[in-house]
């Protein structure tokens, strides 16, 4: 069973605020990912990491940044939140078979 | 070009009946993996089943099976004996070579009592 956690689950915040979405996994997976998903729509990869000190941008342009200082931790930061950032953010990590296991997601609403 | 195509935006099935969710993919890489995920209204993505391109047999996991037709590049998900809790969005995904995983647009399944 996958053990991957995201906090907060829900966040309502005002425009211009800085926010950090937390993601951690206890499976020792090297690869981790962040996706953005609007309700009922497909997932868009915004960031990924192949291991400590490795971060790459995904297909969807995003104003967010990520860091990977520890294997188990992959936080995503928005320096200045805007209403266009309102979405669900899903974190995942993958095993050697490349199966991705997802966290419960963070639903972000920027007013 | 779209790598993963799910042509059914929505599907309905009667409880206890079987349902097939369609997925076609596009790749020229001989080595790839195909995945199905379930996303209930709560939002989390739940891994259901995996099929490798070199696997000779169709993957099965409990009530889920993957109808893998390599020549047609299709990887349909079959859910047998549908339950009300199966109502959710279902996403097909593919990973090829060193590329990132690509997801389809999803199919919303509704199980009727």
């Amino acid at each position: 069973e996958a053990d991957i956690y995201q906090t907060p689950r829900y966040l309502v915040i005002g425009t211009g605020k800085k926010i950090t979405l937390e993601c951690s996994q206890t499976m020792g997976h090297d690869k981790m990912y962040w996706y953005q998903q609007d309700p009922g729509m497909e997932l868009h990869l915004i960031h990924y990491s192949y291991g400590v000190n490795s971060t790459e941008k995904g297909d969807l342009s995003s104003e967010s940044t990520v860091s990977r200082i520890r294997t188990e931790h992959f936080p995503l930061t928005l320096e200045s939140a805007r209403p266009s950032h309102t979405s669900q953010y899903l974190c995942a990590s993958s095993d050697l078979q490349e199966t991705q296991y997802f966290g419960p997601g963070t639903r972000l609403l920027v007013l | 070009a779209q790598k993963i195509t799910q042509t059914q935006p929505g599907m309905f099935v009667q409880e206890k009946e079987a349902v097939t969710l369609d997925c076609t993919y596009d790749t020229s890489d001989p080595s790839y993996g195909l995945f199905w995920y379930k996303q209930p209204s709560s939002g989390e993505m739940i891994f259901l089943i995996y099929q490798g391109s070199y696997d000779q047999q169709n993957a099965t996991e409990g009530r889920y099976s993957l109808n893998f037709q390599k020549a047609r590049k299709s990887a349909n998900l079959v859910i047998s004996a549908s339950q009300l809790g199966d109502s959710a969005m279902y996403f097909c995904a593919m990973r090829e070579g060193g590329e990132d995983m690509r997801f389809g647009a999803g199919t919303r399944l509704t199980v009727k009592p």
Side-chain angles (χ1 to χ4, degrees):
Chain A
E1 186 170 318
D3 293 314
I4 181 162
Y5 309 97
Q6 289 184 245
T7 57
R9 291 293 311 278
Y10 305 92
L11 180 61
V12 181
I13 202 162
T15 297
K17 299 291 186 182
K18 178 181 178 179
I19 57 172
T20 297
L21 308 185
E22 300 288 348
C23 175
S24 38
Q25 49 99 2
T26 58
M27 297 168 284
H29 290 166
D30 285 327
K31 296 182 182 180
M32 296 188 73
Y33 312 83
W34 275 103
Y35 292 88
Q36 185 175 340
Q37 183 193 28
D38 292 331
M41 304 297 283
E42 59 193 284
L43 280 72
H44 295 284
L45 181 67
I46 50 175
H47 295 284
Y48 59 98
S49 166
Y50 286 155
V52 171
N53 294 327
S54 151
T55 61
E56 303 287 344
K57 288 188 179 292
D59 295 331
L60 183 68
S61 175
S62 173
E63 292 158 349
S64 58
T65 59
V66 291
S67 63
R68 191 87 184 276
I69 298 172
R70 303 196 318 262
T71 298
E72 62 271 21
H73 195 214
F74 191 41
L76 180 145
T77 298
L78 276 167
E79 290 292 334
S80 179
R82 294 209 301 268
S84 61
H85 296 139
T86 294
S87 191
Q88 174 165 252
Y89 293 83
L90 290 161
C91 179
S93 68
S94 63
D95 61 13
L96 293 175
Q97 183 179 268
E98 305 290 356
T99 299
Q100 292 189 15
Y101 296 95
F102 286 80
T106 294
R107 295 194 181 186
L108 174 64
L109 172 61
V110 183
L111 302 175
Chain B
Q2 196 72 285
K3 290 277 189 177
I4 294 285
T5 303
Q6 294 181 252
T7 57
Q8 306 152 315
M11 287 283 286
F12 292 87
V13 64
Q14 205 67 37
E15 193 178 8
K16 300 180 185 176
E17 292 187 351
V19 63
T20 298
L21 306 183
D22 294 342
C23 174
T24 57
Y25 58 92
D26 181 29
T27 182
S28 56
D29 194 322
S31 178
Y32 53 90
L34 298 158
F35 305 80
W36 276 93
Y37 287 85
K38 172 184 178 182
Q39 187 177 43
S41 57
S42 52
E44 74 268 33
M45 292 279 284
I46 302 167
F47 166 67
L48 295 178
I49 196 166
Y50 165 82
Q51 179 85 43
S53 59
Y54 294 119
D55 293 343
Q56 296 295 314
Q57 294 191 324
N58 287 344
T60 61
E61 288 288 347
R63 294 187 298 112
Y64 304 109
S65 60
L66 200 151
N67 185 0
F68 181 43
Q69 298 188 42
K70 196 169 183 176
R72 295 180 59 190
K73 293 186 177 178
S74 77
N76 298 340
L77 177 71
V78 180
I79 305 174
S80 63
S82 296
Q83 302 172 358
L84 295 178
D86 293 335
S87 293
M89 285 287 289
Y90 288 81
F91 291 92
C92 180
M94 176 180 70
R95 196 179 192 284
E96 54 182 331
E99 299 293 318
D100 301 321
M101 187 176 283
R102 304 283 179 174
F103 288 83
T107 295
R108 182 174 297 280
L109 176 67
T110 303
V111 180
K112 295 180 174 180

